[in-house]
Amino acid sequence: MPRIPPVLKPVNRHLTIVPHVKKNETQAGVLLPDDFKHEEDRYITATVLDVASDCTAAFQKMRGHSADNKVVVVERSMIEEIAVGEKSYFTVLENYIVGILRGANENQFI
């Protein structure tokens, strides 16, 4: 019987997320110094996987919706990576989510 990997259940107003990070790819033929660090955006998007039970109603409503309705904008520096064994989880405190991405006519959800 295969073992089911553990999941991280968020608590204390945290959300478990999957950050949408850009890959560091350069155009062919461009050489950069080893210590060159590309400037990263302050805010990135992320998909919400789970929400702590004590989060505000706006985030509680995300439960049970499709992945398209769970994309948020997060302050990048506030994302916490938690390594448990060989698996990594990403969490963020609800205060550092600055918005929820929606289509032009999607006001009914939040």
Side-chain angles (χ1 to χ4, degrees):
M1 185 161 133
R3 184 180 162 171
I4 298 172
V7 295
L8 181 68
K9 175 70 178 153
V11 295
N12 296 327
R13 297 178 34 235
H14 281 83
L15 292 88
T16 305
I17 61 170
V18 175
H20 303 169
V21 292
K22 296 177 185 175
K23 293 182 181 176
N24 287 334
E25 295 178 359
T26 60
Q27 297 176 1
V30 177
L31 297 176
L32 299 172
D34 290 336
D35 61 346
F36 176 79
K37 200 169 193 185
H38 179 68
E39 188 174 320
E40 296 179 332
D41 295 329
R42 181 175 177 190
Y43 300 98
I44 64 169
T45 57
T47 301
V48 175
L49 297 178
D50 202 358
V51 179
S53 60
D54 55 355
C55 284
T56 61
F59 297 118
Q60 292 299 329
K61 291 179 183 178
M62 293 180 132
R63 290 184 170 166
H65 287 273
S66 71
D68 294 339
N69 290 330
K70 294 182 177 185
V71 178
V72 294
V73 178
V74 180
E75 189 172 343
R76 177 191 294 271
S77 63
M78 294 297 135
I79 297 173
E80 297 288 335
E81 181 176 4
I82 301 165
V84 178
E86 295 180 8
K87 186 152 174 69
S88 287
Y89 302 95
F90 296 91
T91 65
V92 66
L93 185 63
E94 69 178 334
N95 292 13
Y96 298 111
I97 295 177
V98 296
I100 301 170
L101 291 180
R102 295 283 173 260
N105 297 324
E106 292 185 81
N107 294 330
Q108 69 278 7
F109 177 39
I110 291 188

